[in-house]
Amino acid sequence: QVQLVESGGGLVQAGGSLRLSCAASGRAFDNYVLAWFRQAPGKEREFVARISSSGLSTYYTDSVEGRFTIARDNAKNMMYLQMNVLKPEDTAVYYCAAPARIYWTGSWSTANAYAYWGQGTQVTVSS
């Protein structure tokens, strides 16, 4: 049974940093794209960042480019999101996501590409 568990969320002041972790179990994900999404109150879930299976290729939504860094450790079946210079608009529940298949004909930046989701971790940035 595949399970994704996020950790590392919390309350931080604007300009601060947090590091989120995602622990995967039940299957090795070293051949799969992994991603982070977030959902703010009253808003739809949105893409934040994704990382290729090797970790060599990353992609970010414009609003976090240059502030967030996605990384993975395939040996540990872990993924991370380093978040710097946090802003109040970054406040949301953050989810890690993994696909069921290695290949996807659509965009890896859409939620439909992912079958497995964690329970989420709350990030709150105060102004």
Side-chain angles (χ1 to χ4, degrees):
Q1 183 178 356
V2 174
Q3 189 174 16
L4 302 176
V5 179
E6 303 95 338
S7 61
L11 173 64
V12 64
Q13 289 188 333
S17 299
L18 283 173
R19 187 193 191 211
L20 305 184
S21 298
C22 174
S25 61
R27 190 178 77 186
F29 284 100
D30 51 337
N31 290 321
Y32 296 79
V33 170
L34 297 175
W36 287 97
F37 286 75
R38 66 186 180 186
Q39 187 167 18
K43 296 187 177 180
E44 293 187 354
R45 189 168 299 190
E46 67 168 349
F47 168 79
V48 176
R50 70 173 189 258
I51 187 166
S52 64
S53 57
S54 66
L56 296 178
S57 178
T58 58
Y59 184 77
Y60 302 89
T61 192
D62 288 347
S63 62
V64 309
E65 179 79 54
R67 299 188 297 121
F68 290 12
T69 302
I70 189 172
R72 64 191 297 165
D73 185 336
N74 286 339
K76 297 181 179 179
N77 229 18
M78 295 286 295
M79 179 176 63
Y80 307 96
L81 186 67
Q82 177 66 44
M83 306 186 295
N84 298 328
V85 196
L86 282 161
K87 304 176 181 180
E89 51 264 43
D90 294 318
T91 295
V93 177
Y94 284 70
Y95 299 90
C96 62
R101 296 182 175 86
I102 293 176
Y103 299 106
W104 174 249
T105 57
S107 169
W108 284 113
S109 299
T110 59
N112 288 342
Y114 302 92
Y116 303 110
W117 296 83
Q119 82 289 348
T121 185
Q122 176 70 48
V123 171
T124 303
V125 184
S126 63
S127 57

